[in-house]
Every structure is written in C-alpha cells, then in structure tokens.
Amino acid sequence: MNQAQTALISAVTAALVTMLIEFAAKPRLEARKDRVLELHRERRKLMAKLVVLPYETRHVVLLASPGLAWGMGKVALEDAGEVTGGLQADLAKLGDLLSTRQRDLVGRLLGLVDARLMTLSYLVLLHETSGVIAEESARRPLAAQLPMAEEFHRHYFGVVECLAGSYTILALSRWRPWSYARTVAAWTRKLDAENAEMQASAQTSDHSSPAE
C-alpha cells in the first residue's frame, strides 16, 4: 500500500467518524446543552423572584400596628402567602443544576418562609378572635404599636432573611470551593440553630397551662 492510499484511507476514516458523531452524538449533546441553558434560565427567574419578594411583601410589617395599618398588613399577609406559594415548585424545576446540599438548604429556607407566614397568620387569628385587635385599635393612637409588635417583626424579618439566604445559596458556584463550602456551612449552622429554637418554643407551648 503506497503513501497516497494510506492518506486516502485516513481521510475517509476521519470523514466517517465525523459523520457518525454528527448523526449520533451531536443531537444528544445539543439536547443536553439546551437543557442546561433552560435550567440556568429557571434559576435566574427564581433568583429574580427572590429579589423582589421582600419589596412585594413589605406591608406585612404593618401588622405590628392597630387600626388601618393592621388591615393593610392583613391583606399583605394574604398576598404574601400567594406569591411565595410556588417557590418550592420553582426550586424543583432546577433539577440537577444544584448540588444536593444547595438544593436541601434552599428547600429548608423556603420551608421556613412558609412556617413563618403560617405563624403570622396564627397571630392574626389570635388577635382577632380574642378581641385584642379591636380593643387596641380603639384605645391606641394610630402611630402606636401592638404589645406583640416585636413578634410580628421577628417573623416577618425572618421571612426576608430566608429569602435573602435562598438567593445567596442559589448564586453559589462549586467552581469557587472555599466560598461555596464556607457559605453552605454557615447557613447550615444557622438553620440548625433556628430549628432547635423552634422546637424548644413548641415544647414550651405544649407544656403551658390551658388556663394561661
């Protein structure tokens, strides 16, 4: 076999391999690329939503005051439950784009958002069914705050903190391992402490006397 024949065979072989890649592997690679791009778009959409939610829910803090402010805060709380209700579903759309630790942490933070909003709804119900809000609205000036204003503030700003934490964790890159590991560890400790505090609070409530 002369040199020209060898070169011809090599060229034909290369062409055949290229054609096989084009017809077999490339469609799968293109599909994977499209999927990855779609996942990144979904992440950007979720992060954009997390940025605007604190602004959209800002009037919830008005629950700390009686009168007209209370009414505005109550409406805002109902709206907050609706606008945050789809966050877990949005997170599920990200699939394997996130690491397991990222996905778990964001899931826990969004779960805590729901828990705090439910607690705020319970506090609203408690104030209204007991007649406290009617009494406070009648006797306090409009600028005053309710006796449990600190509790309303704590839970609402806890919601804002969880939204900010979710954004921070979604923005992490595993290509920056030191920043990734440090941030994940810090939020894990914070959530564990928060969970322990909530469990202790629940136990204290369970052991309280009904007469109280």
Side-chain angles (χ1 to χ4, degrees):
M1 183 179 293
N2 59 35
Q3 206 169 20
Q5 288 176 321
T6 302
L8 179 61
I9 292 172
S10 298
V12 170
T13 302
L16 287 172
V17 170
T18 301
M19 290 175 63
L20 284 172
I21 292 174
E22 286 287 333
F23 288 105
K26 190 173 181 180
R28 290 199 299 271
L29 293 174
E30 288 292 333
R32 176 172 173 76
K33 176 185 174 183
D34 291 342
R35 172 169 167 72
V36 170
L37 290 175
E38 179 62 25
L39 290 176
H40 279 284
R41 278 194 293 269
E42 290 295 335
R43 178 165 70 171
R44 287 194 297 271
K45 284 166 58 177
L46 177 53
M47 291 172 69
K49 189 181 293 186
L50 291 170
V51 168
V52 301
L53 277 174
Y55 178 79
E56 291 182 351
T57 62
R58 67 194 184 281
H59 289 142
V60 173
V61 77
L62 295 176
L63 286 169
S65 301
L68 180 61
W70 172 269
M72 293 175 63
K74 183 180 176 182
V75 172
L77 178 60
E78 293 170 356
D79 292 342
E82 294 180 7
V83 297
T84 61
L87 293 178
Q88 291 283 7
D90 292 337
L91 175 63
K93 293 178 184 177
L94 301 185
D96 55 1
L97 181 65
L98 305 176
S99 70
T100 300
R101 294 188 71 186
Q102 277 178 295
R103 190 163 50 249
D104 289 348
L105 275 176
V106 176
R108 289 176 66 186
L109 283 165
L110 297 182
L112 196 53
V113 168
D114 293 337
R116 288 198 178 279
L117 289 176
M118 287 177 63
T119 302
L120 285 168
S121 297
Y122 172 75
L123 290 173
V124 168
L125 181 64
L126 186 66
H127 275 66
E128 290 187 336
T129 56
S130 65
V132 170
I133 188 61
E135 180 183 339
E136 293 292 337
S137 296
R139 74 184 184 86
R140 286 180 179 271
L142 293 179
Q145 291 194 329
L146 297 171
M148 290 189 69
E150 187 176 338
E151 278 295 290
F152 284 109
H153 287 161
R154 184 171 71 86
H155 288 292
Y156 171 68
F157 289 114
V159 168
V160 174
E161 184 179 33
C162 289
L163 295 172
S166 298
Y167 179 94
T168 299
I169 295 167
L170 285 173
L172 290 176
S173 170
R174 282 173 284 183
W175 297 107
R176 301 176 63 185
W178 170 243
S179 175
Y180 172 89
R182 183 180 58 186
T183 305
V184 166
W187 277 100
T188 299
R189 288 194 299 270
K190 184 173 183 61
L191 280 171
D192 288 344
E194 184 80 24
N195 188 53
E197 180 184 338
M198 292 180 72
Q199 288 182 345
S201 177
Q203 290 176 354
T204 300
S205 176
D206 290 341
H207 289 98
S208 297
S209 169
E212 297 176 353

